[in-house]
Amino acid sequence: ELLSKTIPDLLASESAPESLAHFQQVVGTGASDGVVRLRRKDGKSVWTKLSAVRLTDDRFLAFCQDITDREEFALHLIESEQRYRQLFNSMISGFALHEIILDEQGVPCDYRFLAVNAAFEHLTGLKEKDIIGRRVLEVLPKTEGYWIKAYGEVALTGKTLHFEQYSVALDMYFEVSAY
């Protein structure tokens, strides 16, 4: 049955242009590796890793491996990331992700900003573009040791903290949940 099929017969209609480009590369250069959607005998389309070579002007050899589960999982991760980003960017609570920096004795001595949301920028006046990748003591040199100690304790023990604290550097009180 397969030998009587043409390449377009095997391609899933939803990705035919990309798949045809893959096969045109085989024709033009003699070989190609890539991800292609193919149509099974039952009509279901599957993602495949396809390696193909041209044997003669009208004969080709192709090896394909079904990677549908992997591709669907990757799409799920992308969708999940998009939902997370939307939640992160639209939440009204300020959020900051930090990396704790330890001294030679393993004691927290600073922290680095890894990510902040728009609400954090609004609440603190600190802009993401100015702080990401920088240490808090670079950005806010007057930061009290309490902040570093509290966040360090959370990072090192895994315990969640909830507290209210005044920041001299920002001249504001904050209610903080750290985890």
Side-chain angles (χ1 to χ4, degrees):
E1 286 177 90
L2 186 60
L3 293 176
S4 68
K5 302 287 184 190
T6 66
I7 290 172
D9 293 335
L10 302 174
L11 301 179
S13 58
E14 61 268 25
S15 64
E18 297 87 2
S19 299
L20 284 172
H22 173 77
F23 288 108
Q24 288 170 344
Q25 183 178 353
V26 176
V27 171
T29 67
S32 183
D33 291 308
V35 175
V36 173
R37 280 194 92 150
L38 298 178
R39 188 174 46 244
R40 293 187 339 183
K41 181 179 178 179
D42 64 6
K44 181 181 177 188
S45 70
V46 293
W47 288 99
T48 63
K49 180 180 182 318
L50 187 70
S51 297
V53 294
R54 183 181 64 219
L55 299 175
T56 65
D57 286 343
D58 62 348
R59 295 231 179 239
F60 303 91
L61 177 64
F63 297 93
C64 61
Q65 175 184 10
D66 186 340
I67 58 169
T68 303
D69 290 343
R70 182 182 84 185
E71 290 297 310
E72 287 176 354
F73 184 73
L75 289 172
H76 173 74
L77 284 178
I78 291 167
E79 291 168 359
S80 179
E81 169 72 11
Q82 289 170 342
R83 284 192 306 273
Y84 163 76
R85 283 277 161 218
Q86 183 179 12
L87 171 65
F88 182 73
N89 290 325
S90 62
M91 60 192 275
I92 60 172
S93 296
F95 181 92
L97 177 64
H98 304 302
E99 172 187 38
I100 298 301
I101 299 170
L102 306 175
D103 65 15
E104 299 80 28
Q105 290 76 39
V107 176
C109 62
D110 207 342
Y111 58 86
R112 185 178 331 279
F113 290 95
L114 299 180
V116 298
N117 68 354
F120 179 88
E121 289 183 309
H122 178 73
L123 290 168
T124 65
L126 300 171
K127 299 298 178 199
E128 179 183 42
K129 65 180 179 61
D130 298 329
I131 64 172
I132 297 302
R134 296 182 62 202
R135 295 177 294 110
V136 72
L137 293 175
E138 286 179 273
V139 176
L140 301 168
K142 293 182 182 178
T143 298
E144 301 90 336
Y146 177 83
W147 296 95
I148 297 167
K149 181 179 177 187
Y151 294 150
E153 179 182 337
V154 169
L156 296 176
T157 67
K159 293 181 184 175
T160 298
L161 285 181
H162 184 86
F163 58 91
E164 290 183 20
Q165 187 66 31
Y166 179 75
S167 167
V168 171
L170 295 172
D171 191 25
M172 302 175 87
Y173 281 92
F174 292 93
E175 181 180 357
V176 176
S177 293
Y179 55 94

